[in-house]
Amino acid sequence: MLQIPSRVELHPLTLSDQDEFCTLVRASSELHLPWMRLPTNAQEFMGWMRRFDDGTNQGFLVRVRDTGAAAGTVNINSIVRGRYQGASLGYAAFAPSAGQGYMTEGVAATMRYAFTDLRLHRLEAGIQPANKASLAVVQRLGFQYEGLAPAYLYIDGAWRDHERWSITAPNPWTPDPSLRARRSTTGCFRDFGSLKWYEAFRWVDQSVAGEVGGGDASFE
């Protein structure tokens, strides 16, 4: 993963951020549309925050280290454990700080958090093809293009095509305990917790348990 000196810090998004968040979103309407709709008032913000209640989504503000200003927001969406160990990213810059590279650093910090603290193995980003600024972020950070997903997300009154980009955790990687060892057809096993390999000839192929969801459209 690309190492970028960080001028920013991640702060969990909380209810106390409501006024600041909504004010910055209203000031950023020309930057955000048609790529994403974010809450602009108290009612919408409360609904937005409910998505983080069950732990499958996490939201952050990207704050400039020197000033404390909120440069943007990043979400880790649709966290799936089991045999997938992945999530999707959504991110948005706020207009007063846009174009200064803060969101590249904020997404890089989110990747480090996802791969080390959350021990996720894979991150995805869905980006509309015309959203060149957002595409530049994932390209700078080493994401790989996986193809076009037609009519992938419903945004601003229409189903939008999205390019799918992904990146996996760098080696060495410490798995989450929810990634259990699985038995082979010979009775041998792989110990994912210690990453030690034991004798095995063929692994049982099982599908991912649970549905892997897509994230919000992402942009800088």
Side-chain angles (χ1 to χ4, degrees), residues 103-220:
M103 288 311 297
T104 297
E105 297 177 24
V107 174
T110 306
M111 291 164 60
R112 287 191 291 271
Y113 170 74
F115 290 145
T116 57
D117 295 66
L118 298 183
R119 298 186 184 181
L120 295 174
H121 182 256
R122 176 183 170 88
L123 294 173
E124 295 186 359
I127 304 171
Q128 294 180 57
N131 192 345
K132 303 303 182 184
S134 186
L135 290 172
V137 171
V138 293
Q139 289 165 356
R140 283 194 293 267
L141 293 174
F143 281 66
Q144 299 297 309
Y145 176 68
E146 294 189 333
L148 182 71
Y152 184 58
L153 291 175
Y154 191 80
I155 298 172
D156 197 29
W159 289 99
R160 309 288 181 178
D161 296 349
H162 282 67
E163 293 187 14
R164 299 191 67 171
W165 293 78
S166 72
I167 193 168
T168 55
N171 288 319
W173 172 68
T174 303
D176 185 79
S178 63
L179 186 60
R180 301 186 186 92
R182 53 178 176 163
R183 291 190 177 276
S184 75
T185 54
T186 63
C188 305
F189 63 93
R190 179 182 181 182
D191 183 349
F192 285 100
S194 64
L195 291 183
K196 293 178 180 177
W197 285 86
Y198 294 82
E199 180 184 5
F201 298 99
R202 182 162 61 92
W203 300 108
V204 177
D205 185 21
Q206 298 179 353
S207 60
V208 175
E211 180 179 351
V212 179
D216 299 313
S218 38
F219 54 92
E220 173 142 25

Side-chain angles (χ1 to χ4, degrees), residues 40-91:
T40 59
N41 57 53
Q43 182 178 358
E44 292 175 354
F45 186 80
M46 292 299 294
W48 180 264
M49 291 299 294
R50 282 194 288 272
R51 68 171 57 195
F52 307 123
D53 288 346
D54 65 0
T56 59
N57 306 289
Q58 296 190 21
F60 301 91
L61 285 176
V62 177
R63 292 195 179 276
V64 179
R65 193 184 302 274
D66 290 343
T67 66
T73 183
V74 182
N75 287 354
I76 302 175
N77 299 311
S78 305
I79 298 172
V80 176
R81 292 296 184 180
R83 306 177 77 83
Y84 181 66
Q85 300 293 325
S88 58
L89 292 180
Y91 50 94

